[in-house]
Amino acid sequence: MQMTPMIESFVMHFGEMGSRWGFNRTVGQMYALLVISEAPLSANQIAEALSVSRGNVSMGLKELQSWQLIKQHHIAGDRKEYYQSAGTIWEMANKVFEERRKREMDPTLSLLRGIILENPDSPEEVYAQQRLQEIHDLLETISKWTSELQQMNPDTLGTLMKLGSGVGKVIDMKNKLIKPSQKKEIKTEDAK
């Protein structure tokens, strides 16, 4: 398989970006190639297109399968295994978010919970636990928020993303219009 300059540019860039998202560069390139290839590709075709070893491709395919980003495809009469990206671009993004949450956020939240439950032995540890609680609460909020976003259908999520900073501006305006004393009254009423 020969890559055109346009495809090669995207594949190489995606490899560099992939290294920032939790893949190594070659795995990112492999995935990019599979995403933009209309037909499924064999491991040999991937190795040839990227000028990497067949062993490197084999390891990369296993990693992409563990992330559930690709699926095997069989062609009648051909004993080779072929691969293609699994799902839509939205589904791919959700899988990457989910895997990163499992690999990065969940272990951090577990560590923080354990430390927060310990009895502090000094004022320094009391202060440290307070700060760790803040970090935990922020990560927990982000985790819940991203989980809720992942449950939305692509159209709703797209609309929400287009609203962008407009939502923040509306909240800022509301805060300017409601005086601090009114905010306390509203919070008190909300608590009832």
Side-chain angles (χ1 to χ4, degrees):
M1 175 183 182
Q2 286 288 69
M3 289 193 287
T4 67
M6 178 191 76
I7 291 173
E8 183 176 12
S9 174
F10 171 73
V11 167
M12 294 303 141
H13 177 74
F14 201 89
E16 296 305 318
M17 293 307 298
S19 67
R20 294 180 178 104
W21 297 337
F23 306 126
N24 74 37
R25 184 174 41 96
T26 303
V27 172
Q29 291 172 351
M30 289 170 54
Y31 187 59
L33 188 61
L34 290 169
V35 166
I36 62 173
S37 293
E38 188 173 0
L41 300 175
S42 70
N44 288 338
Q45 289 172 310
I46 296 168
E48 181 184 314
L50 299 175
S51 300
V52 296
S53 73
R54 177 70 172 74
N56 202 353
V57 169
S58 180
M59 289 187 308
L61 290 170
K62 286 178 185 171
E63 183 171 348
L64 289 169
Q65 286 174 319
S66 77
W67 283 69
Q68 300 176 12
L69 292 173
I70 62 170
K71 59 184 177 182
Q72 283 185 349
H73 184 79
H74 296 281
I75 296 176
D78 192 338
R79 296 181 66 201
K80 289 184 221 159
E81 293 177 346
Y82 290 82
Y83 301 89
Q84 63 188 130
S85 64
T88 66
I89 297 301
W90 283 106
E91 291 167 338
M92 178 233 7
N94 273 334
K95 286 177 184 172
V96 170
F97 289 143
E98 184 62 22
E99 285 299 316
R100 293 207 59 190
R101 184 190 57 78
K102 287 180 195 173
R103 296 170 189 226
E104 297 168 19
M105 296 278 278
D106 290 353
T108 302
L109 284 167
S110 293
L111 173 79
L112 290 170
R113 283 184 199 109
I115 293 172
I116 291 166
L117 292 174
E118 291 179 16
N119 290 322
D121 291 331
S122 67
E124 291 84 7
E125 286 186 353
V126 169
Y127 178 78
Q129 277 185 324
Q130 291 168 348
R131 298 296 284 184
L132 293 175
Q133 182 70 53
E134 291 175 30
I135 295 168
H136 172 273
D137 293 348
L138 174 63
L139 291 178
E140 188 73 35
T141 299
I142 291 169
S143 183
K144 285 179 183 175
W145 182 66
T146 56
S147 179
E148 289 173 12
L149 291 177
Q150 287 177 275
Q151 302 306 315
M152 291 183 184
N153 70 50
D155 292 335
T156 303
L157 184 57
T159 300
L160 180 63
M161 291 172 75
K162 287 176 185 173
L163 291 172
S165 64
V167 173
K169 290 175 185 175
V170 169
I171 292 170
D172 287 344
M173 177 151 323
K174 178 199 79 138
N175 289 337
K176 289 176 184 174
L177 293 173
I178 296 176
K179 296 180 177 126
S181 61
Q182 289 175 315
K183 287 182 192 175
K184 289 179 187 175
E185 290 172 18
I186 291 171
K187 285 182 184 177
T188 305
E189 288 175 17
D190 289 341
K192 294 176 184 177

